Amino acid sequence: MALNNTYDARLVQQETAVGAGVQILLLAFLGTAIGMGPAGWVTGLVFAVATWAVLSRALHRSRLRSFGPANRVTLGRATLVGGVTALVADSFVSAPPVSLLVGLTAVALILDGVDGKVARRTGTSTALGARFDMEVDAFLILVLSVYVSMELGPWVLLMGGMRYAFVAAARVAPWLNAPLPPSMARKTVAAMQGICLLVAGAGLLPYAANFGVALLALTLLVWSFGRDVLWLWRTSRVVDTAPTEPRLELATR
């Protein structure tokens, strides 16, 4: 039985290695197509290695017997996000083709609505898969906010950094780690971040319109995070002030 478990673990780990290989192939394609410079190459390779290492460690700890179709979709999105990351890093040196950056981002955003459906239909939903999906989404928003901030200003970075600031705050205030109730409003606002940043970064609208789109997205994100933090704080206060049941003491004679 132990040998079978080891074999299954190796098969699962091979999926992450394949993902890293596909990431390198995508970087090679981008390098050939647009002549991507060292900044893009190094950033893309670091992203590929980091994704492989973190995901491999998470799979080892979770002991999943199968990587699953939904995780394969998410891994494909992560590969596209790695390409976007490389293009954004390269944009600090030379302007990348906006159409290519927009195309990769658009496909990644579309696939964001696919992996969850695949997981539910195939019955392969896992905590690791949900976390993997969330981290890919958060990193894509961070990378897009860096790109758009070069045109609209550093305030756009608040969109990309807010989730990471929340995670850092939760280390200091553990009550922020409590589970939140499902919310369609939260999901909608999260989805709008990528769409709005994509629109603002495409450069198809006037500066004022792009500024307004990004500002709207940030306003909604602040509202969403603020509402959740307030709910968590109120819930923690209720738990802290709830009366405890008296313990029954055994009488001694």
Side-chain angles (χ1 to χ4, degrees):
M1 182 65 70
L3 292 176
N4 289 335
N5 287 339
T6 303
Y7 179 72
D8 289 341
R10 288 179 179 178
L11 286 178
V12 173
Q13 295 291 345
Q14 286 175 3
E15 303 252 13
T16 63
V18 170
V22 173
Q23 180 73 82
I24 294 174
L25 289 177
L26 177 59
L27 293 175
F29 168 76
L30 295 176
T32 303
I34 67 171
M36 190 168 60
W41 269 103
V42 171
T43 303
L45 290 174
V46 169
F47 179 90
V49 173
T51 302
W52 169 79
V54 173
L55 188 55
S56 296
R57 183 171 182 269
L59 286 168
H60 178 73
R61 295 178 63 180
S62 65
R63 295 184 176 276
L64 289 181
R65 291 182 173 271
S66 173
F67 195 64
N71 284 334
R72 293 188 184 102
V73 175
T74 308
L75 185 59
R77 285 203 303 118
T79 301
L80 296 174
V81 171
V84 174
T85 302
L87 290 176
V88 171
D90 195 58
S91 69
F92 284 92
V93 180
S94 61
V98 176
S99 58
L100 183 57
L101 190 149
V102 169
L104 291 177
T105 303
V107 176
L109 292 175
I110 292 172
L111 290 178
D112 185 25
V114 174
D115 47 11
K117 292 181 180 179
V118 171
R120 289 187 292 271
R121 289 184 179 181
T122 59
T124 55
S125 298
T126 62
L128 173 62
R131 180 66 182 272
F132 184 25
D133 177 63
M134 180 176 61
E135 295 299 340
V136 172
D137 290 342
F139 194 79
L140 177 58
I141 298 303
L142 176 62
V143 171
L144 289 177
S145 68
V146 170
Y147 180 71
V148 176
S149 69
M150 290 188 283
E151 176 68 22
L152 300 182
W155 62 272
V156 182
L157 295 173
L158 293 173
M159 278 186 276
M162 197 168 299
R163 191 256 171 183
Y164 295 100
F166 180 86
V167 172
R171 294 182 178 274
V172 180
W175 53 269
L176 290 172
N177 288 313
L180 287 163
S183 171
M184 183 56 67
R186 185 188 310 117
K187 293 180 180 180
T188 302
V189 170
M192 285 185 62
Q193 301 306 303
I195 296 173
C196 290
L197 286 171
L198 178 61
V199 171
L204 299 176
L205 301 177
Y207 177 88
N210 289 331
F211 190 95
V213 168
L215 183 60
L216 174 63
L218 177 59
T219 302
L220 291 174
L221 189 62
V222 171
W223 169 80
S224 180
F225 267 95
R227 188 186 65 156
D228 287 344
V229 169
L230 182 60
W231 187 90
L232 290 170
W233 180 76
R234 287 176 174 173
T235 302
S236 68
R237 297 284 292 178
V238 171
V239 173
D240 291 341
T241 59
T244 57
E245 295 183 1
R247 292 181 299 172
L248 296 177
E249 300 290 342
L250 293 177
T252 57
R253 294 183 183 272

